[in-house]
Amino acid sequence: MSDALLDYFFKVSLSVAASLANTGYLHNALAIVKAKDGAQTNTITFVENATQASQFTNDEAVQHFMNASTQGIYLLAVEMLEDAEPLINNWTDGFTILIGDDFTELDISTLQLGGFKGVVAANFVSQAEAKTFAAKVNHCAYNGDIRNMFYAFGKLLSDNTWNDQQAITLPVSDGVTTSALAESKFNDRVSFGLDSEQYGTRLAFLVAGGQAIRAPYVIEEIKINLQSEWLRYASVNKPNYTIVDAKLVQQDLQTRVMDQYINDGQIDYGTVTVDLAKDEFEASSQIDMQRPRAWWRIKATIQAE
């Protein structure tokens, strides 16, 4: 209850900050799989467990995603991969598309993604085909067993922080037993697991478009958080279109967003610049992330005295 005397002597106007944007969708994935006989097709459905998924497909890879993940997955069962194109064009409930193993490598390579700009992952038998696919922006080409690919993404997307997942234990062998073969796949920037008699199969490399797998997720999250923080700042401070206010906005975005990712080790370097352009604020940013490394390529020198 307000006090008339206080209201008369000290008028207070409160500005409520806009709520921060939800980035949870970055952890959601859509699996495009071959439809089983009699199953509903060409409809995106969220499934929470393998039993629900089995109503649409016989693809075992989905089960391995469930085994690794603490969440469900969106499922799109189709007869032909091209049937998925109009449905994924405007899909915005997630940032990852995983393509099942029942489609040809030609079908996968020619799939039209339309407006989808997130990560697309597929498994390839041919390392050469995998190399070509992996060179595309935000494309992940696995060159091994697709069950491992689905499992790795299940782990990646269910983590609270973005992590490259290197060295996690994989459920089955990818058939990579020599360092020479591992080096070849690494140089081609394709993803794979590495076998060990003592430690089992471990994820050796998971990349998208030549970048560490976390890179597209971190960059997208930073973009959203910069936009969200700008809205929050503007709703509270109502800045004027002046150079002074532009630099105050810049300082806020740098401190509250970019520096947090640097301190957490998600990026190596990041800056935000805010200037005035035709009576409006214009922001630009630069982000540097370390190139993906191979944990299994540590070279050690042992000297005996």
Side-chain angles (χ1 to χ4, degrees):
M1 179 177 179
S2 63
D3 187 296
L5 181 62
L6 294 179
D7 287 343
Y8 177 77
F9 278 100
F10 190 6
K11 294 181 172 62
V12 177
S13 177
L14 295 178
S15 296
V16 179
S19 60
L20 296 179
N22 181 8
T23 58
Y25 82 97
L26 294 174
H27 294 266
N28 294 337
L30 168 67
I32 304 176
V33 294
K34 183 76 171 180
K36 66 186 298 185
D37 292 342
Q40 182 181 20
T41 61
N42 303 341
T43 301
I44 296 177
T45 305
F46 185 78
V47 296
E48 297 179 344
N49 52 59
T51 301
Q52 293 178 356
S54 66
Q55 299 174 18
F56 298 90
T57 183
N58 293 320
D59 196 323
E60 295 181 5
V62 177
Q63 169 69 62
H64 287 272
F65 180 94
M66 301 287 191
N67 292 344
S69 176
T70 58
Q71 58 201 35
I73 189 171
Y74 288 89
L75 206 63
L76 174 55
V78 294
E79 293 295 338
M80 297 186 296
L81 189 56
E82 63 184 22
D83 295 338
E85 292 178 353
L87 293 166
I88 63 177
N89 180 37
N90 297 310
W91 186 65
T92 57
D93 289 325
F95 195 68
T96 304
I97 291 178
L98 307 176
I99 301 175
D101 217 19
D102 291 319
F103 306 106
T104 68
E105 295 183 351
L106 178 60
D107 289 339
I108 294 171
S109 298
T110 58
L111 179 66
Q112 299 297 311
L113 299 172
F116 182 77
K117 303 301 181 184
V119 174
V120 180
N123 186 59
F124 291 82
V125 175
S126 164
Q127 184 175 329
E129 291 288 343
K131 179 182 178 180
T132 300
F133 189 83
K136 300 177 183 179
V137 176
N138 288 356
H139 280 51
C140 172
Y142 203 86
N143 189 214
D145 193 301
I146 193 168
R147 292 172 292 182
N148 287 338
M149 185 192 86
F150 269 69
Y151 185 88
F153 272 94
K155 284 288 190 182
L156 170 73
L157 299 179
S158 61
D159 264 2
N160 292 326
T161 58
W162 298 114
N163 187 292
D164 292 336
Q165 305 300 315
Q166 283 197 6
I168 64 170
T169 301
L170 296 174
V172 294
S173 171
D174 275 336
V176 182
T177 58
T178 67
S179 59
L181 181 56
E183 290 279 356
S184 173
K185 293 177 184 292
F186 175 83
N187 291 334
D188 284 347
R189 287 297 188 262
V190 301
S191 304
F192 64 97
L194 183 60
D195 288 356
S196 164
E197 290 184 5
Q198 182 175 0
Y199 299 107
T201 301
R202 299 299 185 102
L203 182 61
F205 207 43
L206 191 63
V207 289
Q211 296 181 303
I213 193 61
R214 62 186 169 88
Y217 299 95
V218 170
I219 292 170
E220 184 71 9
E221 190 174 81
I222 289 175
K223 183 188 76 173
I224 295 169
N225 285 336
L226 284 172
Q227 294 170 332
S228 175
E229 175 57 26
W230 159 239
L231 179 59
R232 186 206 65 80
Y233 182 92
S235 66
V236 172
N237 297 285
K238 299 177 175 58
N240 295 313
Y241 291 112
T242 65
I243 294 178
V244 171
D245 277 359
K247 295 310 168 186
L248 289 174
V249 173
Q250 175 179 305
Q251 182 181 19
D252 178 81
L253 295 177
Q254 182 70 44
T255 302
R256 294 178 66 92
V257 179
M258 198 67 77
D259 287 351
Q260 298 301 314
Y261 284 88
I262 296 173
N263 295 336
D264 290 343
Q266 293 287 355
I267 60 176
D268 297 318
Y269 170 83
T271 60
V272 180
T273 302
V274 179
D275 294 307
L276 295 181
K278 296 182 180 180
D279 295 328
E280 64 182 10
F281 291 124
E282 185 176 78
S284 60
S285 62
Q286 180 179 346
I287 298 171
D288 287 338
M289 298 184 71
Q290 192 177 73
R291 289 273 291 174
R293 301 289 193 267
W295 59 269
W296 40 269
R297 295 205 313 173
I298 297 175
K299 291 181 173 63
T301 300
I302 300 176
Q303 182 176 347
E305 297 183 357

